[in-house]
Amino acid sequence: MSGGGDELRLVIRESSPTPVYEQIRAQIEGMVKVGALHDGDRLPSVRQLAGDLRLAPGTVAKAYAELADRGVIETAPGRAARIRRVTTVPEPLLRAARTYAEQSHRVGATFEDAVNALRAQWD
């Protein structure tokens, strides 16, 4: 990411039914929405991220292509992919999510349990 030696921290769940490229796309897009990645931030190259995650470069390239199609990043041959558009989640929602995550941890819920509980209450 933009200078400073920051690294992009992604978690790939091989047991997930969600394809790996989609997990990458969703996590990067999520980081943009919560303000962890900002307009102009540089992403690792496809080869670098693929090596870091021990994945095929084509998997990362597909995730980057989806992000570019959604207007989240801009890419060009020979140039680093950069965050293009930043639409962040409102601060009150981030605070509520933080509180929910803390309470979920306290009761020993897994991430999947917490998401499922939220989905059940959504309507």
Side-chain angles (χ1 to χ4, degrees):
M1 294 179 341
S2 59
D6 293 334
E7 68 180 59
L8 189 61
R9 291 195 172 107
L10 301 174
V11 176
I12 303 302
R13 289 184 166 81
E14 293 183 19
S15 62
S16 173
T18 304
V20 173
Y21 78 90
E22 181 64 19
Q23 292 179 52
I24 294 168
R25 186 217 47 85
Q27 288 179 58
I28 292 174
E29 192 166 2
M31 289 177 195
V32 170
K33 287 183 178 182
V34 300
L37 292 173
H38 304 95
D39 195 24
D41 279 353
R42 193 176 78 111
L43 295 175
S45 70
V46 167
R47 285 188 181 154
Q48 175 66 49
L49 187 56
D52 291 347
L53 298 173
R54 295 186 176 109
L55 298 171
T59 302
V60 175
K62 187 169 183 176
Y64 278 19
E66 296 249 336
L67 288 163
D69 287 347
R70 291 170 175 254
V72 176
I73 66 171
E74 50 188 30
T75 61
R79 295 182 43 199
R82 293 191 178 273
I83 301 300
R84 179 170 169 216
R85 185 184 72 206
V86 178
T87 305
T88 58
V89 174
E91 184 57 36
L93 183 55
L94 288 175
R95 283 194 304 272
R98 197 172 304 117
T99 299
Y100 181 63
E102 290 167 356
Q103 290 175 345
S104 296
H105 282 289
R106 264 195 296 278
V107 300
T110 66
F111 176 77
E112 288 78 16
D113 290 341
V115 169
N116 288 334
L118 179 61
R119 275 195 189 107
Q121 298 302 316
W122 194 253
D123 291 332

